[in-house]
Amino acid sequence: MRINKNYLSCIMKLLNSYKTKIAGVELDSYICNASGPLDSTLKELENIAKSTSSAIIMKSCTIEPKEGNQEPIYTRLPLGSIQSMGLPNLGYQEYVKFAARLKKYNKPIIASVAGLSVEDYQQMVEAFQNSDVDLIEVNLSCPNLERKPQVAYDFKQTEKVLCKISNLGKKPIGLKLPPYYDLIHHKQMAKLIEKYNIRFITCINSVGNALIIDSKTETPVIKPKRGFGGLCGDYIKPIALANVRAFYELLKNKISIFGVGGIKSGADTFEFLLAGADAVQVATTFEKEGSNCFKRINRELKEILRKKGYNSIEEAMGKLKYL
Ligand code: DHB
C-alpha cells in the first residue's frame, strides 16, 4: 500500500502538536508533577513514572538525608494549601540512584537540588551532571528553613551559586524561583540567568512566609516557624502568571519556562500557556487528587485548544493579547 506523504506528515504533526520542550528536552505533554508533594521515595516516583505526568520531577534534596520539620507541617485549605515540610528527603545520593532505576520508563527525569550552602549546590549539581537525569532544577527558593533566607531574594548570593554550578557539565540547568513583586527584580534575575547560561526557570515556588490562623483554636494551622509557611494553590495563581509573563517578556526564545502555582484545570493551564510557559507543573492538585490529575488536566487543555481553533501548544504559547 502506498501512503501519501502529505497524509503522513499531517498525522505526524497531529501527534507532535501536544508535545513541548524544556531546554531542548522533549516532554510528551504540557503537564507534569512539581518538585514537592509525593516525590520523595522510589515508590512515589514510580507512581509518577506510570502516570501521564510528562516528566518525573524528584523532591528537592540536600547533601544529607533530612527528616523535615515538626508536625503539623501541611494543611489543605479551601483554595490551596500551606506547607512547611522542612525539606524531608533521603539525601542526594539516593536520588542519583533512583534516576538510574527510573530510566526504564523513558520519560525525562528532573533532579531538584536545595543546598544549605554554596558548596552543597556545587557538590549536588556535579553529582547529577554525572547521573541519569535529563535536567537539573536548582531550587533557590525554599522558604521553610529556619535562619536560611531564600537564596534567590539575595542576588549576590545567587550569583555566588551560579558561578559555582554553571560549568559542571552538559545537562541543562534551571532555577526554581520565588515570586518577585517588582519588575526591577525580574530584570536583575534575568541578567544573571543570561550571564550564567541558565537554560530554564520554574516560576513560582510557594509564596513564602504566609500565615493562616485558625480562629477556633486561636493558633496557626502549621507548627514550624511559628506558623509561617509556603502558600500554594489558587491563592497564588495570579502571582505565578505575572512571574511567568514578566520573565517571558524579558527572556523569550532564550530560555524555557515551567509555570507552576494554582494549576488545577485545563483552563488554568491555558492561562499559563498564554502567559508564555513552555510546560506546567502541578503540586497541590496532585497532592489532593492523586496522579489521575495529569490525564484530566491534559484532556481539558486539549479540549480548550480544540474549541478555540488552536492546532498545537506552540500556536498559543505566549500569545497573551493586550487591551
Ligand atoms: C520545601 C518547600 C519548598 O517550597 C521548596 O521549594 C522545597 C522544600 C519543604 O519545606 O520541604
Side-chain angles (χ1 to χ4, degrees):
M1 189 177 83
R2 278 191 50 192
I3 298 176
N4 180 313
K5 253 196 193 159
N6 275 346
Y7 177 73
L8 249 186
S9 107
C10 266
I11 298 270
M12 287 312 289
K13 249 195 198 154
L14 212 66
L15 283 176
N16 287 322
S17 58
Y18 297 110
K19 291 189 174 179
T20 185
K21 277 186 184 169
I22 291 285
V25 173
E26 192 168 276
L27 307 189
D28 269 351
S29 85
Y30 195 68
I31 296 144
C32 64
N33 76 301
S35 182
L38 308 176
D39 61 353
S40 300
T41 64
L42 184 60
K43 193 167 169 224
E44 288 173 330
L45 291 164
E46 282 183 328
N47 180 47
I48 295 166
K50 289 172 190 163
S51 78
T52 58
S53 171
S54 60
I56 308 165
I57 308 193
M58 302 195 282
K59 174 73 183 169
S60 291
C61 59
T62 49
I63 298 279
E64 299 297 335
K66 232 170 149 301
E67 278 198 359
N69 290 335
Q70 265 187 11
E71 301 271 355
I73 53 177
Y74 185 89
T75 302
R76 289 182 182 173
L77 302 170
L79 297 175
S81 60
I82 186 168
Q83 48 84 20
S84 181
M85 316 301 281
L87 279 169
N89 78 92
L90 302 168
Y92 79 101
Q93 282 165 328
E94 284 302 297
Y95 296 98
V96 168
K97 286 186 213 151
F98 289 171
R101 303 273 296 268
L102 293 164
K103 212 172 145 57
K104 64 177 183 217
Y105 292 97
N106 285 325
K107 220 178 239 198
I109 303 168
I110 305 180
S112 172
V113 301
L116 305 179
S117 68
V118 175
E119 293 72 28
D120 285 8
Y121 279 109
Q122 185 175 4
Q123 188 175 332
M124 288 190 282
V125 169
E126 193 159 25
F128 282 113
Q129 282 291 1
N130 295 302
S131 77
D132 288 303
V133 305
D134 298 280
L135 297 168
I136 303 168
E137 190 178 84
V138 177
N139 186 347
L140 300 181
S141 50
C142 177
N144 297 333
L145 300 171
E146 218 61 78
R147 292 178 297 279
K148 289 269 175 213
Q150 291 166 81
V151 177
Y153 281 144
D154 178 339
F155 294 105
K156 274 202 186 131
Q157 191 66 9
T158 297
E159 183 151 16
K160 275 191 198 156
V161 173
L162 298 189
C163 199
K164 295 274 187 198
I165 62 169
S166 59
N167 280 320
L168 298 173
K170 290 211 171 80
K171 295 184 201 286
I173 288 192
L175 305 181
K176 184 153 183 182
L177 297 175
Y180 296 106
Y181 303 96
D182 196 295
L183 297 179
I184 189 71
H185 294 144
H186 294 110
K187 270 193 194 150
Q188 283 174 317
M189 184 49 79
K191 260 197 188 157
L192 291 178
I193 286 166
E194 282 199 79
K195 181 170 172 191
Y196 289 96
N197 192 28
I198 297 303
R199 303 279 308 284
F200 72 98
I201 55 173
T202 303
C203 299
I204 55 173
N205 207 324
S206 54
V207 169
N209 298 304
L211 177 63
I212 302 283
I213 293 176
D214 180 342
S215 60
K216 226 194 288 163
T217 58
E218 302 177 16
T219 65
V221 297
I222 54 171
K223 183 177 170 75
K225 283 180 83 178
R226 294 172 172 264
F228 283 47
L231 189 66
C232 309
D234 292 11
Y235 303 104
I236 73 169
K237 192 181 80 174
I239 303 167
L241 283 168
N243 274 268
V244 168
R245 188 65 188 175
F247 282 115
Y248 177 80
E249 285 181 342
L250 289 164
L251 294 167
K252 72 177 136 213
N253 305 326
K254 295 185 180 153
I255 61 160
S256 306
I257 302 177
F258 265 127
V260 53
I263 293 163
K264 52 183 194 335
S265 67
D268 296 324
T269 308
F270 183 64
E271 292 171 20
F272 277 87
L273 177 58
L274 290 178
D278 293 271
V280 295
Q281 302 177 359
V282 180
T284 299
T285 296
F286 173 36
E287 190 282 324
K288 288 186 177 181
E289 187 179 327
S291 59
N292 286 338
C293 73
F294 304 117
K295 198 181 230 171
R296 176 184 60 75
I297 296 172
N298 204 20
R299 188 179 59 234
E300 291 170 4
L301 174 65
K302 283 182 183 173
E303 187 58 19
I304 290 170
L305 290 172
R306 192 188 61 75
K307 278 195 182 143
K308 283 180 166 282
Y310 289 111
N311 294 308
S312 67
I313 295 280
E314 207 183 330
E315 264 183 37
M317 196 178 287
K319 300 286 166 54
L320 181 65
K321 297 168 189 164
Y322 288 108
L323 299 175

